[in-house]
Amino acid sequence: MDLAQDVQLEMFRAMLLSRRLDERAWVLHRQGKIAFHISGIGHEAAQVGAVFAIRRGYDWVSPYYRDLAILLAVGMTPAEFVMGMMGKRGDPTSGGRQMPSHWSLKRANVISHSAPVATQSPHATGIGLAIKLRGDDRVVLTTVGEGATSQGEWYEAVNFAAVLQVPVVFVVQNNMYAISETPDMQMAIKSVAEKACGLGVPGISVDGTDVFAVYRACQEAVDRARQGGGPSLIEARTYRMTPHSSDDDDRTYRSREEVEEHKKSDPVLVAKRQLEERAILTEKAYAEMDAQIKAEVEEAVRQAEQAPYPEAEEALHPVYAEEIRLAEASHA
Amino acid sequence: MPEMTLIEAIRQGMDEELERDKDVFIIGEDVGKRGGVFRATMGLFEKYGPQRVIDSPLAELGIVGTGIGAALYGMRPICEIQFADFIYPAFNQIVNEAAKMCYRSNGDWTVPMTIRAPYGGGIGGGLYHSQSVEASFTHIPGLKVVVPSNPRDAKGLLKSAVRDPNPVLYFEPKKGYRLIKGEVPEGEYTVPIGPAQVSRPGKDLSVFAYGMMHYYTLQAAEKVAAEGIDAEVVDLRTLYPVDRETILASVRKTGKALIVHEDNLTGGYGAEVAATIAEWGFQDLDAPVRRLAAPDVPGVPFSHPMQDWFMPNPDKIAAAIRDLASF
Ligand SMILES: Cc1ncc(C[n+]2csc(CCOP(=O)(O)OP(=O)(O)O)c2C)c(N)n1
Ligand SMILES: [Mg+2]
């Protein structure tokens, strides 16, 4: 592994923070403190591997709703996340306008996305085009689920990116489900990566439970993009370890045995084993890290619970850019 | 002041904006070497090159979605939709993305983007090269919708659209591209997005129109003037946000209102103007509000007799004016 030990540890910590925060969100939901949660559990390796391959805060990100680990890794604080969950004014994605996990983090170049799947893919292409027109050396990381690759929006985005040769890395987090539908109901091919050849971009499929495998694949794609080599498609194969969302009951379409089986390749455990084998992490150091993260998560929940809701009238603005200052003034 | 056609004014507006601001670029189908199927971008590819005037794949949501992304990065894209009829593949990107971006991000992200699209019938284009699509967008907060009716406004509004920090839909009356001529001021000027304009003051009744129908309405107003009817004509120009003040001020003056558009009647833009007058101008009315619009059929038929039946024209408008004036 060519990655420095402290970077490997940092990646692991990013995965664990995302996991603990995500677990806490499920608890908040059961406690009736939040109305909705859509989880990234099982996706941490795919997300951390991808986001560590870009220059965080410098490169641009066009994410999708499961990307909690990506958002944390580019600097969203746990308290900000929980404020979003609770619809508090301090929600950095939308000031409480959007449902939870519909990301945006302007200060880290993470654009705002919506709920209709794959709508953010063409935006990544457009950002890539702007980067190319301006002669900048940034790249764009964009993500979707495998179900979303059935959308015309996704195909048009990748095709435009390929034709215009813009610096975009399209990462598909294939978690084997789109709510209840399995990949064979989405596509007549075995792997999402096969779609790449019809679009004229390099496409590879990696084990999305191995954070370092995802990192290597994304690093190569990011380097190529930054050097003017155009877009790439990366499929990270993983498993959605939770129901689709807090409104879903996955017992209606998949067996408990299947879910249990996949827990053996839980990406957090896989990474922990890798670091232990490489003598980078001890059980003791892990326990310390975990305790520290859990305390951080509790503090975030405490802060978010105390944070104010928006005033009802804030819903009036800002419909147009001219109103942005109005909206800010009403906060003050 | 030099006289030019509508399409020349639009082209000059784009040319000057490309010249003024390096962040402005054009993207669309056949906009490069071909200069657009209507020649709106003629000569711009040669002048600014393939980086600024970009021939895109044949996919409208890709054009608009890519434009949105570029705008988020700070560019000022002008997206050309070849015919307004083909804007619907991009509907999701316009309505769910461009329109909602500022609001949903609480002002963190804005989409300074212009979408140009030729609209309207009377050119033998049949169902799919003739549509007036404005009403599908004048219901959407977050968008601005503009329809110029003359070369001066066309150039000035185009420049305002490019400089606007919001997504602006700019619908061009394609039948008027070469038919409508007019004087265009020399040098730099813009026409603000927002205000409607009284284009012909009158005292007997108010006629509200935009785009091609405004051009026809001015002709109709001249016809009835010879018969002693003094019609005030209001060019709405910006359909969204609505300029309620200008509409209501005109009705206050004349007491009668007719709205003309070539989009079909039901749920058309005229309904919003009529509702505005009913809600805030009721006491000023001396007659029911009238609408002259295309019939409620799915599109403009191709064959000439049917197309002519569909389209409002100066004679039909004059008849509607006479009818209302005599109420
Ligand atoms: C255009 C659109 N249709 C339907 C939905 C409802 N929906 C939300 S997520 C989802 C499944 C998405 O599956 P996938 O793309 O594989 O991502 P995953 O949730 O598995 O990460 C569906 C059908 C939606 N959000 N957008
Ligand atoms: Mg999926």
Side-chain angles (χ1 to χ4, degrees):
Chain A
M1 192 73 226
D2 45 349
L3 267 173
Q5 293 195 355
D6 58 335
V7 178
Q8 295 186 46
L9 264 180
E10 200 192 336
M11 290 167 79
F12 179 71
R13 192 182 195 285
M15 293 172 68
L16 193 60
L17 174 62
S18 184
R19 171 64 58 90
R20 294 297 180 234
L21 195 53
D22 202 313
E23 289 169 343
R24 189 67 175 87
W26 284 103
V27 173
L28 286 170
H29 183 260
R30 278 197 292 276
Q31 292 172 330
K33 291 186 176 175
I34 60 173
F36 176 79
H37 180 46
I38 191 154
S39 177
I41 292 182
H43 287 246
E44 293 89 346
Q47 293 169 12
V48 170
V51 75
F52 270 70
I54 63 168
R55 286 174 65 184
R56 286 173 284 151
Y58 179 77
D59 291 330
W60 283 52
V61 182
S62 174
Y64 94 122
Y65 44 83
R66 292 206 195 279
D67 286 340
L68 175 58
I70 290 183
L71 268 289
L72 292 170
V74 298
M76 188 182 65
T77 68
E80 286 177 327
F81 168 68
V82 185
M83 285 194 276
M85 303 295 298
M86 295 178 168
K88 296 294 177 83
R89 180 188 285 147
D91 156 34
T93 73
S94 72
R97 285 161 183 74
Q98 289 237 69
M99 281 177 84
S101 301
H102 289 56
W103 314 113
S104 165
L105 196 65
K106 171 87 172 178
R107 63 177 191 260
N109 296 339
V110 180
I111 65 164
S112 160
H113 70 91
S114 62
V117 297
T119 43
Q120 75 278 21
S121 306
H123 304 168
T125 299
I127 296 164
L129 175 62
I131 289 170
K132 185 172 169 176
L133 295 180
R134 287 243 182 109
D136 294 344
D137 71 342
R138 292 182 163 93
V139 302
V140 191
L141 167 66
T142 187
T143 58
V144 283
E146 85 293 343
T149 69
S150 297
Q151 289 279 346
E153 231 127 358
W154 185 81
Y155 284 102
E156 290 193 27
V158 182
N159 183 55
F160 265 64
V163 170
L164 300 169
Q165 281 295 291
V166 297
V168 183
V169 179
F170 293 92
V171 172
V172 179
Q173 300 178 33
N174 182 352
N175 59 8
M176 305 299 153
Y177 285 92
I179 306 187
S180 69
E181 294 191 12
T182 45
D184 60 308
M185 302 177 199
Q186 299 293 344
M187 60 198 94
I189 47 178
K190 288 277 170 270
S191 150
V192 175
E194 287 177 45
K195 297 191 181 195
C197 69
L199 293 160
V201 302
I204 63 162
S205 185
V206 292
D207 179 356
T209 66
D210 178 346
V211 66
F212 302 111
V214 177
Y215 172 81
R216 273 191 300 273
C218 289
Q219 188 65 69
E220 201 181 305
V222 165
D223 287 348
R224 183 166 49 239
R226 211 183 299 282
Q227 286 154 20
S232 308
L233 170 60
I234 293 166
E235 174 190 39
R237 298 183 316 274
T238 185
Y239 189 77
R240 199 192 72 210
M241 293 170 62
T242 66
H244 170 72
S245 74
S246 55
D247 294 332
D248 181 33
D249 180 356
D250 63 338
R251 288 169 303 188
T252 58
Y253 54 83
R254 64 181 183 183
S255 71
R256 293 308 86 189
E257 294 72 37
E258 180 194 306
V259 178
E260 283 309 309
E261 181 60 26
H262 279 92
K263 285 188 179 163
K264 291 179 192 156
S265 48
D266 176 336
V268 175
L269 295 184
V270 171
K272 180 166 174 273
R273 270 201 300 273
Q274 286 169 321
L275 294 193
E276 285 167 354
E277 278 161 23
R278 293 170 197 166
I280 297 172
L281 187 69
T282 61
E283 194 56 50
K284 180 164 172 284
Y286 169 77
E288 273 168 22
M289 183 191 285
D290 199 23
Q292 194 193 40
I293 284 173
K294 282 176 174 159
E296 194 181 333
V297 167
E298 285 319 305
E299 173 59 17
V301 171
R302 198 189 59 78
Q303 279 180 26
E305 282 186 316
Q306 286 172 1
Y309 284 103
E311 301 291 335
E313 307 77 51
E314 287 175 38
L316 198 56
H317 297 300
V319 181
Y320 294 96
E322 295 86 338
E323 300 163 24
I324 291 171
R325 268 183 209 91
L326 278 177
E328 276 167 7
S330 79
H331 286 202
Chain B
M1 277 196 286
E3 202 188 68
M4 62 179 75
T5 63
L6 190 73
I7 197 164
E8 283 167 346
I10 293 168
R11 185 186 307 132
Q12 200 178 74
M14 286 193 280
D15 190 354
E16 290 180 14
E17 289 307 288
L18 283 162
E19 182 81 50
R20 182 186 63 80
D21 183 351
K22 285 252 169 316
D23 286 336
V24 176
F25 71 95
I26 298 172
I27 184 164
E29 295 154 12
D30 308 293
V31 297
K33 271 190 203 156
R34 178 73 181 96
V37 293
F38 289 102
R39 322 292 286 146
T41 56
M42 191 173 69
L44 301 180
F45 178 84
E46 288 73 13
K47 189 166 172 189
Y48 297 100
Q51 299 263 353
R52 308 281 308 280
V53 184
I54 302 171
D55 277 320
S56 76
L58 205 175
E60 287 72 18
L61 94 76
I63 294 170
V64 173
T66 300
I68 292 170
L72 292 173
Y73 197 79
M75 304 291 285
R76 298 262 164 175
I78 303 174
C79 300
E80 179 175 305
I81 302 293
Q82 204 159 65
F83 287 81
D85 313 60
F86 309 135
I87 205 167
Y88 288 109
F91 197 67
N92 192 36
Q93 283 290 329
I94 297 170
V95 172
N96 267 333
E97 303 304 312
K100 295 178 177 43
M101 188 66 73
C102 177
Y103 185 76
R104 81 181 189 209
S105 68
N106 200 13
D108 272 358
W109 297 103
T110 55
V111 181
M113 174 177 70
T114 304
I115 300 174
R116 295 178 39 244
Y119 84 95
I123 45 91
L127 269 78
Y128 298 103
H129 297 81
S130 305
Q131 291 174 42
S132 298
V133 301
E134 64 276 10
S136 296
F137 299 98
T138 53
H139 180 62
I140 311 295
L143 299 178
K144 296 186 179 180
V145 181
V146 169
V147 188
S149 73
N150 62 74
R152 181 189 172 281
D153 283 358
K155 180 177 170 184
L157 283 167
L158 191 279
K159 287 163 106 41
S160 293
V162 171
R163 299 175 195 190
D164 200 278
N166 303 284
V168 181
L169 294 181
Y170 180 95
F171 293 122
E172 304 167 4
K174 67 167 103 65
K175 188 178 170 69
Y177 268 157
R178 290 171 176 81
L179 190 63
I180 302 177
K181 297 189 182 75
E183 288 185 337
V184 169
E186 277 177 83
E188 167 68 20
Y189 75 97
T190 59
V191 172
I193 293 175
Q197 189 181 44
V198 177
S199 51
R200 183 190 192 284
K203 59 179 186 348
D204 294 337
L205 80 172
S206 303
V207 190
F208 301 97
Y210 50 92
M212 196 63 205
M213 289 305 119
H214 175 264
Y215 180 74
Y216 282 167
T217 297
L218 283 181
Q219 292 178 1
E222 288 313 311
K223 268 186 216 239
V224 297
E227 304 159 20
I229 302 173
D230 187 14
E232 171 148 309
V233 180
V234 179
D235 185 355
L236 294 172
R237 299 196 294 191
T238 294
L239 304 190
Y240 199 78
V242 190
D243 180 357
R244 295 201 173 107
E245 270 154 47
T246 302
I247 293 170
L248 293 172
S250 180
V251 174
R252 205 170 303 132
K253 183 171 145 195
T254 66
K256 291 178 178 177
L258 168 69
I259 307 129
V260 183
H261 57 65
E262 65 169 287
D263 189 10
N264 59 293
L265 183 75
T266 304
Y269 191 71
E272 184 58 38
V273 179
T276 297
I277 297 167
E279 198 164 353
W280 291 291
F282 187 72
Q283 308 88 318
D284 302 318
L285 285 174
D286 300 323
V289 178
R290 293 268 169 82
R291 288 178 289 165
L292 177 66
D296 283 323
V297 296
V300 188
F302 172 72
S303 176
H304 271 292
M306 292 193 286
Q307 174 180 282
D308 294 346
W309 168 83
F310 180 98
M311 293 290 295
N313 60 32
D315 287 339
K316 292 181 191 177
I317 299 169
I321 292 175
R322 282 183 207 109
D323 194 44
L324 180 58
S326 69
F327 183 90

